[in-house]
Coordinates of all heavy atoms in Angstrom, one line a residue:
R233 N 121.7 112.4 129.9 CA 120.8 113.6 129.9 C 121.2 114.5 128.7 O 120.3 115.2 128.2 CB 121.0 114.3 131.2 CG 120.1 115.5 131.4 CD 118.6 115.1 131.4 NE 117.7 116.3 131.5 CZ 116.5 116.3 131.1 NH1 115.9 115.2 130.7 NH2 115.7 117.4 131.2
A234 N 122.4 114.6 128.3 CA 122.8 115.6 127.3 C 122.1 115.3 126.0 O 121.5 116.2 125.4 CB 124.3 115.5 127.1
H235 N 122.1 114.1 125.5 CA 121.4 113.8 124.2 C 119.9 113.9 124.3 O 119.3 114.3 123.3 CB 121.8 112.4 123.7 CG 121.5 111.3 124.6 ND1 122.5 110.7 125.3 CD2 120.4 110.6 124.9 CE1 122.0 109.7 126.0 NE2 120.7 109.6 125.8
V236 N 119.4 113.7 125.5 CA 117.9 113.9 125.7 C 117.6 115.4 125.5 O 116.6 115.7 124.8 CB 117.5 113.4 127.1 CG1 116.0 113.8 127.4 CG2 117.6 111.9 127.2
I237 N 118.4 116.3 126.0 CA 118.1 117.7 125.8 C 118.3 118.1 124.4 O 117.5 118.9 123.8 CB 119.1 118.5 126.7 CG1 118.8 118.2 128.2 CG2 118.9 120.0 126.4 CD1 119.7 118.9 129.2
H238 N 119.3 117.5 123.7 CA 119.5 117.8 122.3 C 118.3 117.4 121.5 O 117.8 118.2 120.6 CB 120.7 117.1 121.8 CG 122.0 117.7 122.1 ND1 122.3 119.0 122.0 CD2 123.2 117.1 122.7 CE1 123.6 119.3 122.4 NE2 124.1 118.1 122.8
F239 N 117.8 116.3 121.7 CA 116.6 115.8 120.9 C 115.3 116.6 121.3 O 114.5 116.9 120.5 CB 116.4 114.3 121.2 CG 117.5 113.4 120.7 CD1 117.9 112.3 121.4 CD2 118.0 113.7 119.4 CE1 118.9 111.5 120.9 CE2 119.1 112.9 118.9 CZ 119.5 111.8 119.7
K240 N 115.2 117.0 122.6 CA 114.1 117.8 123.0 C 114.1 119.1 122.4 O 113.0 119.7 122.0 CB 114.1 117.9 124.6 CG 112.9 118.7 125.1 CD 113.0 118.7 126.7 CE 111.9 119.5 127.3 NZ 112.0 119.6 128.7
N241 N 115.2 119.7 122.1 CA 115.4 121.0 121.5 C 115.3 120.9 120.0 O 115.4 121.9 119.3 CB 116.7 121.7 121.9 CG 116.7 122.0 123.4 OD1 115.6 122.1 124.0 ND2 117.8 122.2 123.9
G242 N 115.2 119.7 119.4 CA 115.1 119.5 118.0 C 116.5 119.5 117.3 O 116.6 119.6 116.1
N243 N 117.5 119.4 118.1 CA 118.9 119.4 117.6 C 119.4 117.9 117.4 O 120.2 117.4 118.2 CB 119.8 120.1 118.6 CG 121.2 120.5 117.9 OD1 121.5 120.0 116.8 ND2 121.9 121.4 118.5
L244 N 118.8 117.3 116.3 CA 119.1 115.9 116.1 C 120.6 115.7 115.8 O 121.1 114.6 116.1 CB 118.2 115.4 114.9 CG 118.1 113.9 114.8 CD1 117.4 113.3 116.0 CD2 117.3 113.6 113.5
T245 N 121.2 116.6 115.1 CA 122.6 116.4 114.7 C 123.5 116.3 115.9 O 124.3 115.3 116.0 CB 123.0 117.6 113.8 OG1 122.2 117.7 112.7 CG2 124.5 117.4 113.4
Q246 N 123.4 117.2 116.9 CA 124.2 117.1 118.1 C 123.9 115.9 118.9 O 124.8 115.3 119.5 CB 124.0 118.4 118.9 CG 124.6 119.6 118.2 CD 126.0 119.6 118.0 OE1 126.8 119.0 118.7 NE2 126.5 120.3 116.9
G247 N 122.6 115.5 119.0 CA 122.2 114.3 119.7 C 122.9 113.1 119.1 O 123.4 112.2 119.9
V248 N 122.8 112.9 117.8 CA 123.5 111.8 117.2 C 125.0 111.8 117.4 O 125.6 110.8 117.7 CB 123.2 111.7 115.7 CG1 124.0 110.7 114.9 CG2 121.7 111.5 115.4
G249 N 125.6 113.0 117.3 CA 127.0 113.1 117.6 C 127.4 112.7 119.0 O 128.4 112.0 119.2
R250 N 126.5 113.1 120.0 CA 126.8 112.7 121.4 C 126.7 111.2 121.5 O 127.5 110.5 122.2 CB 125.8 113.4 122.3 CG 126.0 113.1 123.8 CD 127.4 113.5 124.2 NE 127.7 113.1 125.6 CZ 128.9 113.1 126.1 NH1 130.0 113.5 125.4 NH2 129.1 112.7 127.3
F251 N 125.7 110.6 120.9 CA 125.6 109.1 120.9 C 126.8 108.4 120.4 O 127.4 107.5 121.0 CB 124.4 108.7 120.0 CG 123.1 108.6 120.7 CD1 121.9 108.9 120.1 CD2 123.0 108.2 122.1 CE1 120.7 108.8 120.7 CE2 121.8 108.1 122.7 CZ 120.6 108.4 122.1
R252 N 127.3 108.9 119.3 CA 128.5 108.3 118.7 C 129.8 108.5 119.6 O 130.6 107.6 119.7 CB 128.8 109.0 117.3 CG 127.8 108.5 116.3 CD 128.0 109.3 115.0 NE 127.2 108.8 113.9 CZ 127.1 109.3 112.7 NH1 127.8 110.5 112.5 NH2 126.5 108.8 111.7
E253 N 129.9 109.7 120.3 CA 131.0 109.9 121.2 C 131.0 108.8 122.3 O 132.0 108.3 122.7 CB 131.0 111.3 121.8 CG 131.3 112.4 120.8 CD 131.1 113.7 121.4 OE1 130.8 113.8 122.6 OE2 131.3 114.8 120.7
I254 N 129.8 108.5 122.9 CA 129.7 107.6 123.9 C 130.1 106.2 123.4 O 130.8 105.4 124.1 CB 128.3 107.6 124.6 CG1 128.1 109.0 125.2 CG2 128.2 106.5 125.6 CD1 126.7 109.1 125.8
L255 N 129.6 105.8 122.2 CA 129.8 104.5 121.7 C 131.2 104.3 121.3 O 131.7 103.1 121.2 CB 128.8 104.2 120.5 CG 127.3 104.1 120.9 CD1 126.5 104.1 119.6 CD2 127.1 102.9 121.7
R256 N 131.9 105.3 120.9 CA 133.3 105.2 120.5 C 134.2 105.0 121.7 O 135.4 104.5 121.5 CB 133.8 106.4 119.6 CG 133.2 106.4 118.2 CD 133.8 107.5 117.4 NE 135.2 107.3 117.2 CZ 136.1 108.2 116.8 NH1 135.6 109.5 116.6 NH2 137.3 108.0 116.6
A257 N 133.8 105.3 122.9 CA 134.6 105.1 124.0 C 134.9 103.7 124.3 O 134.0 102.8 124.0 CB 134.0 105.8 125.3
V258 N 136.1 103.3 124.8 CA 136.4 101.9 125.1 C 135.4 101.4 126.1 O 135.1 102.0 127.1 CB 137.8 101.8 125.6 CG1 138.1 100.4 126.0 CG2 138.8 102.3 124.5
E259 N 134.9 100.2 125.8 CA 133.8 99.7 126.6 C 134.3 99.1 127.9 O 135.4 98.6 128.0 CB 133.1 98.5 125.8 CG 131.9 97.9 126.5 CD 131.3 96.7 125.7 OE1 131.9 96.4 124.6 OE2 130.3 96.2 126.1
T260 N 133.4 99.2 129.0 CA 133.7 98.6 130.2 C 132.5 97.7 130.6 O 131.4 97.9 130.0 CB 133.9 99.6 131.4 OG1 132.7 100.4 131.5 CG2 135.0 100.6 131.1
R261 N 132.7 96.8 131.5 CA 131.6 95.9 131.8 C 130.4 96.7 132.4 O 129.2 96.3 132.2 CB 132.1 94.9 132.9 CG 133.1 93.9 132.3 CD 133.5 92.9 133.3 NE 134.5 92.0 132.8 CZ 135.0 91.0 133.5 NH1 134.6 90.7 134.7 NH2 136.0 90.2 132.9
T262 N 130.7 97.7 133.1 CA 129.6 98.5 133.8 C 128.7 99.2 132.7 O 127.5 99.4 132.9 CB 130.2 99.5 134.7 OG1 131.1 98.9 135.6 CG2 129.1 100.2 135.6
T263 N 129.3 99.6 131.6 CA 128.5 100.3 130.6 C 127.9 99.5 129.5 O 127.4 100.0 128.6 CB 129.4 101.4 129.9 OG1 130.6 100.7 129.3 CG2 129.9 102.4 130.9
Q264 N 128.0 98.2 129.7 CA 127.5 97.3 128.6 C 126.0 97.5 128.4 O 125.5 97.7 127.2 CB 127.8 95.8 128.9 CG 129.2 95.5 128.7 CD 129.6 94.0 129.0 OE1 128.7 93.3 129.6 NE2 130.8 93.6 128.7
N265 N 125.2 97.5 129.4 CA 123.7 97.7 129.3 C 123.4 99.0 128.7 O 122.5 99.2 127.9 CB 123.0 97.4 130.6 CG 123.0 96.0 131.0 OD1 123.2 95.1 130.2 ND2 123.0 95.7 132.3
L266 N 124.2 100.0 129.2 CA 123.9 101.4 128.7 C 124.3 101.5 127.2 O 123.6 102.1 126.4 CB 124.8 102.4 129.5 CG 124.8 103.8 129.0 CD1 123.4 104.4 129.2 CD2 125.8 104.7 129.8
R267 N 125.4 100.9 126.8 CA 125.8 100.9 125.4 C 124.7 100.2 124.5 O 124.5 100.7 123.4 CB 127.1 100.2 125.2 CG 128.3 101.0 125.8 CD 129.6 100.2 125.7 NE 130.0 100.0 124.4 CZ 130.8 100.8 123.7 NH1 131.2 102.0 124.2 NH2 131.1 100.6 122.4
M268 N 124.2 99.1 125.0 CA 123.1 98.4 124.2 C 121.9 99.3 124.1 O 121.3 99.4 123.0 CB 122.7 97.1 124.9 CG 121.8 96.3 124.1 SD 121.4 94.7 124.8 CE 120.4 95.2 126.2
T269 N 121.5 100.0 125.1 CA 120.4 101.0 125.0 C 120.7 102.1 124.1 O 119.9 102.4 123.2 CB 120.1 101.5 126.4 OG1 119.8 100.4 127.3 CG2 118.9 102.4 126.4
I270 N 121.9 102.7 124.2 CA 122.2 103.8 123.3 C 122.3 103.4 121.9 O 121.9 104.0 120.9 CB 123.5 104.5 123.8 CG1 123.3 105.2 125.1 CG2 124.1 105.4 122.8 CD1 124.5 105.8 125.7
A271 N 122.9 102.2 121.6 CA 123.1 101.7 120.3 C 121.7 101.5 119.7 O 121.4 101.8 118.5 CB 123.9 100.4 120.3
R272 N 120.8 100.9 120.4 CA 119.4 100.7 119.9 C 118.7 102.0 119.6 O 118.0 102.2 118.6 CB 118.6 99.9 121.0 CG 117.2 99.5 120.5 CD 116.5 98.7 121.6 NE 116.2 99.5 122.7 CZ 116.6 99.2 124.0 NH1 117.3 98.1 124.2 NH2 116.2 100.0 125.0
Q273 N 118.9 103.0 120.5 CA 118.2 104.3 120.3 C 118.8 105.0 119.1 O 118.1 105.6 118.3 CB 118.4 105.2 121.6 CG 117.6 104.7 122.8 CD 117.9 105.5 124.0 OE1 118.9 106.2 124.1 NE2 117.1 105.3 125.0
L274 N 120.1 104.9 118.9 CA 120.8 105.6 117.8 C 120.3 104.9 116.5 O 120.0 105.5 115.5 CB 122.3 105.5 117.9 CG 123.1 106.0 116.7 CD1 122.7 107.5 116.4 CD2 124.6 106.0 117.0
A275 N 120.2 103.5 116.5 CA 119.7 102.8 115.3 C 118.3 103.2 115.0 O 118.0 103.4 113.8 CB 119.8 101.3 115.6
E276 N 117.5 103.4 116.0 CA 116.1 103.8 115.7 C 116.1 105.2 115.1 O 115.3 105.5 114.1 CB 115.3 103.8 117.0 CG 113.8 104.1 116.8 CD 113.0 103.8 118.0 OE1 113.6 103.4 119.1 OE2 111.8 103.9 118.0
I277 N 116.9 106.1 115.5 CA 117.0 107.5 115.0 C 117.5 107.4 113.5 O 116.9 108.1 112.6 CB 117.9 108.4 115.8 CG1 117.2 108.6 117.2 CG2 118.2 109.7 115.1 CD1 118.1 109.3 118.2
L278 N 118.5 106.6 113.3 CA 119.0 106.5 111.9 C 118.0 105.9 110.9 O 117.9 106.3 109.8 CB 120.3 105.6 111.9 CG 121.5 106.2 112.6 CD1 122.6 105.1 112.8 CD2 122.1 107.3 111.9
L279 N 117.2 105.0 111.4 CA 116.2 104.4 110.6 C 115.0 105.3 110.3 O 114.4 105.3 109.2 CB 115.7 103.0 111.2 CG 116.7 101.9 111.1 CD1 116.2 100.7 111.9 CD2 117.0 101.5 109.7
R280 N 114.5 106.0 111.3 CA 113.3 106.7 111.3 C 113.4 108.2 111.1 O 112.5 108.9 110.6 CB 112.5 106.5 112.6 CG 112.1 105.0 112.7 CD 111.3 104.8 114.0 NE 110.8 103.4 114.1 CZ 110.1 102.9 115.1 NH1 109.7 103.8 116.1 NH2 109.8 101.7 115.2
G281 N 114.6 108.8 111.4 CA 114.7 110.2 111.4 C 115.8 110.7 110.5 O 116.1 111.9 110.4
M282 N 116.5 109.9 109.7 CA 117.6 110.3 108.9 C 117.6 109.6 107.6 O 117.3 108.4 107.5 CB 119.0 110.0 109.6 CG 120.2 110.6 108.9 SD 121.8 110.2 109.8 CE 121.6 111.1 111.3
C283 N 117.8 110.4 106.5 CA 117.9 109.9 105.2 C 119.3 109.8 104.7 O 120.2 110.3 105.4 CB 117.0 110.7 104.2 SG 117.5 112.4 104.0
E284 N 119.6 109.2 103.5 CA 120.9 109.1 103.0 C 121.5 110.5 102.7 O 122.7 110.7 102.9 CB 120.9 108.2 101.8 CG 120.5 106.8 102.0 CD 120.6 106.0 100.8 OE1 120.9 106.5 99.7 OE2 120.2 104.8 100.9
Q285 N 120.7 111.4 102.4 CA 121.3 112.8 102.0 C 121.7 113.5 103.2 O 122.7 114.3 103.1 CB 120.2 113.6 101.3 CG 119.9 113.1 99.9 CD 119.1 111.9 99.8 OE1 118.4 111.5 100.8 NE2 119.2 111.1 98.7
S286 N 121.1 113.3 104.4 CA 121.5 114.0 105.6 C 122.5 113.3 106.5 O 122.8 113.7 107.5 CB 120.3 114.4 106.4 OG 119.5 113.2 106.7
Y287 N 123.0 112.1 106.0 CA 123.9 111.3 106.8 C 125.3 111.8 106.7 O 125.7 112.3 105.6 CB 123.8 109.8 106.3 CG 124.7 108.9 107.0 CD1 124.3 108.3 108.2 CD2 125.9 108.5 106.5 CE1 125.2 107.4 108.9 CE2 126.8 107.7 107.1 CZ 126.4 107.1 108.3 OH 127.2 106.3 109.0
W288 N 126.1 111.7 107.8 CA 127.5 112.0 107.7 C 128.2 110.9 108.4 O 127.7 110.2 109.3 CB 127.8 113.4 108.3 CG 127.7 113.4 109.8 CD1 128.7 113.3 110.7 CD2 126.4 113.6 110.6 NE1 128.2 113.4 112.0 CE2 126.8 113.6 112.0 CE3 125.1 113.7 110.3 CZ2 125.9 113.7 113.0 CZ3 124.2 113.9 111.3 CH2 124.6 113.9 112.6
S289 N 129.5 110.7 108.1 CA 130.3 109.6 108.6 C 130.5 109.8 110.1 O 130.7 110.9 110.6 CB 131.6 109.6 107.9 OG 132.5 108.6 108.5
P290 N 130.6 108.7 110.9 CA 130.9 108.8 112.3 C 132.3 109.4 112.6 O 132.5 109.9 113.7 CB 130.9 107.3 112.8 CG 130.0 106.6 111.8 CD 130.3 107.3 110.5
L291 N 133.2 109.4 111.6 CA 134.5 109.9 111.8 C 134.6 111.4 111.5 O 135.6 112.0 111.7 CB 135.5 109.2 111.0 CG 135.7 107.7 111.3 CD1 136.7 107.0 110.4 CD2 136.0 107.4 112.7

Side-chain angles (χ1 to χ4, degrees):
R233 186 65 184 159
H235 57 256
V236 171
I237 296 177
H238 283 310
F239 295 138
K240 183 179 178 181
N241 294 340
N243 195 347
L244 195 64
T245 303
Q246 295 296 331
V248 170
R250 183 60 187 166
F251 270 146
R252 288 171 168 176
E253 289 177 3
I254 296 175
L255 291 172
R256 287 187 64 194
V258 174
E259 182 181 4
T260 62
R261 295 183 182 180
T262 310
T263 58
Q264 284 179 349
N265 290 335
L266 175 66
R267 288 172 68 87
M268 185 175 74
T269 302
I270 290 178
R272 186 179 68 236
Q273 292 173 345
L274 177 55
E276 188 169 1
I277 291 171
L278 291 170
L279 290 173
R280 297 182 177 179
M282 185 180 294
C283 61
E284 294 181 2
Q285 288 72 24
S286 56
Y287 179 82
W288 73 96
S289 172
L291 299 180

